[in-house]
Amino acid sequence: MDEISEISDEKISNIFKESAKNLNFSFSDDDLTDLCIYDMTDGTRTSTNLKGSNAYIDGGLFALRFTNILRALGAKNIYLNVIHTGHKKRVNYKDIYEAMLKLVDVYLNYANKYNAKLKFLGNLDERIDFGDSKFNLREILKGLEKKTQNNKGITIHILINFSTRWLSKHEEIFKILPEINVVVRHTKGYINGDMQIFGRMDNHSLVYAQNGSSSTNWSNRQIVYLAAICLKSYILNKGTHLTKIYVSGEDEKVREDREIKLSLIHKDFYDEKEKENRQENEDKENNKNKFKKRAIIFSAVGPEIYEF
């Protein structure tokens, strides 16, 4: 967890403001408070040379670093997908299960340090242990919830043994969940039907992150940029679902930009010279040897592609 302790909230804020300026959007503190991201982590087995449970531990660390960036910016909630009910049938479920066990203390220590609340969303009445494991993970997770239930910081909603079919049968659960306004989908261009969070994704916007959710591959600066791209996606799409009212002339402008001009924004903020300078001054911030990242968002008139 050195990557978390090595970047201060002040530096996160400064990089975020720089990112928003480059991305050409303005925001308020309320926008950051309201930002609620569902990070659909993926690509952990293919983004590095890490094997077995180590690949999934690396993915869990990425999710926590992303969470920490959002916490520092003022977000109150985040959703992280971990295992779908179908994951238990995979041949490598043992690796996933062992990684979850090793990450328990990491997430608890983070929650204690930053006053975060851990909430587990999924069927914990059903067995999720691997084979003859000596550890009852269901009881461990319930214990984490209890230990952090009075914390007042960011709430981390972690999907464990989750499916939309299960959640749809529990109105008492989904009706009190916070509304998701951004879904980050790593590596793949679709959202699995049974990984949607029933009743809480009606107004979301999509951010496609081409790169896998691997902590090893992302610098702090790049994760902050991803957070800024998510906020821009939220702001661009806010109020467009079911409630959109076009003012005079707005529909003609949309038609011209989208249908005739085929609006497309494509910008690259990954500068090799700047990267070298940053490495000299910020090696402690885990910026060394990080490849370029790409994310795509969508406005009312077309896609916006960013490299960073």
Side-chain angles (χ1 to χ4, degrees):
M1 296 313 297
D2 290 342
E3 296 90 345
I4 288 180
S5 61
E6 286 172 355
I7 184 166
S8 66
D9 288 4
E10 180 182 8
K11 179 151 286 189
I12 290 171
S13 177
N14 290 339
I15 297 173
F16 189 84
K17 291 174 183 176
E18 169 200 314
S19 306
K21 183 179 180 180
N22 286 339
L23 292 164
N24 192 30
F25 78 97
S26 58
F27 62 92
S28 67
D29 289 341
D30 287 342
D31 290 328
L32 285 167
T33 299
D34 294 340
L35 181 63
C36 182
I37 294 174
Y38 176 15
D39 189 27
M40 300 191 74
T41 58
D42 206 347
T44 50
R45 289 180 295 171
T46 53
S47 298
T48 71
N49 292 321
L50 295 171
K51 303 300 181 185
S53 64
N54 289 330
Y56 292 101
I57 291 171
D58 190 49
L61 295 179
F62 170 86
L64 195 54
R65 289 174 64 200
F66 191 30
T67 297
N68 186 60
I69 297 297
L70 295 170
R71 174 205 59 80
L73 294 169
K76 298 302 181 185
N77 293 278
I78 184 172
Y79 290 83
L80 304 173
N81 72 310
V82 178
I83 63 168
H84 178 268
T85 54
H87 278 119
K88 294 178 294 179
K89 299 177 182 178
R90 284 171 46 160
V91 295
N92 67 332
Y93 181 61
K94 181 180 180 181
D95 296 334
I96 299 172
Y97 182 76
E98 289 179 350
M100 287 191 291
L101 287 175
K102 292 176 181 178
L103 286 167
V104 164
D105 286 341
V106 175
Y107 273 69
L108 178 59
N109 290 338
Y110 178 85
N112 289 336
K113 181 174 182 179
Y114 292 101
N115 198 32
K117 182 181 294 186
L118 300 174
K119 296 285 291 182
F120 297 95
L121 184 60
N123 186 3
L124 295 187
D125 294 326
E126 182 179 277
R127 179 179 173 86
I128 58 175
D129 300 343
F130 176 81
D132 57 354
S133 173
K134 298 178 181 178
F135 300 96
N136 188 334
L137 184 57
R138 290 179 295 174
E139 294 307 314
I140 292 173
L141 298 181
K142 291 175 183 178
L144 291 181
E145 279 197 342
K146 187 174 182 180
K147 290 176 181 177
T148 65
Q149 64 184 352
N150 295 322
N151 290 356
K152 304 300 182 184
I154 189 170
T155 299
I156 310 172
H157 304 267
I158 303 175
L159 280 65
I160 298 282
N161 200 32
F162 175 86
S163 74
T164 298
R165 292 178 180 87
W166 168 82
L167 184 58
S168 66
K169 298 174 183 177
H170 294 277
E171 184 178 1
E172 75 281 4
I173 295 176
F174 72 74
K175 71 179 182 180
I176 62 172
L177 291 172
E179 185 80 17
I180 294 165
N181 42 50
V182 176
V183 173
V184 179
R185 184 63 165 107
H186 290 269
T187 72
K188 297 180 176 68
Y190 59 82
I191 299 176
N192 308 64
D194 214 23
M195 285 299 290
Q196 296 191 30
I197 299 178
F198 187 85
R200 288 298 174 263
M201 290 175 59
D202 291 342
N203 297 289
H204 80 275
S205 64
L206 177 65
V207 175
Y208 167 68
Q210 183 169 345
N211 311 87
S213 52
S214 164
S215 183
T216 300
N217 287 346
W218 288 74
S219 72
N220 288 318
R221 181 178 291 270
Q222 287 173 329
I223 297 178
V224 175
Y225 254 88
L226 179 62
I229 290 168
C230 288
L231 185 65
K232 183 175 186 181
S233 177
Y234 165 50
I235 291 173
L236 282 175
N237 291 282
K238 183 165 54 174
T240 61
H241 181 66
L242 299 179
T243 60
K244 175 65 178 175
I245 299 174
Y246 289 97
V247 299
S248 178
E250 185 181 4
D251 52 349
E252 288 89 349
K253 181 67 168 61
V254 169
R255 187 179 305 113
E256 179 183 3
D257 289 344
R258 187 186 65 212
E259 304 296 335
I260 301 173
K261 294 182 179 179
L262 291 178
S263 177
L264 171 66
I265 294 174
H266 189 177
K267 294 185 178 181
D268 189 343
F269 304 117
Y270 187 87
D271 184 85
E272 288 292 339
K273 185 175 181 180
E274 180 187 353
K275 177 174 179 276
E276 292 172 3
N277 292 336
R278 288 205 304 267
Q279 287 178 7
E280 291 178 5
N281 299 317
E282 301 180 17
D283 277 346
K284 290 183 178 181
E285 289 199 8
N286 193 32
N287 280 305
K288 194 172 183 180
N289 300 324
K290 305 303 179 187
F291 295 112
K292 183 186 293 189
K293 304 295 181 290
R294 177 181 289 131
I296 303 174
I297 63 176
F298 305 89
S299 74
V301 297
E304 301 185 9
I305 306 171
Y306 298 109
E307 275 103 29
F308 51 100

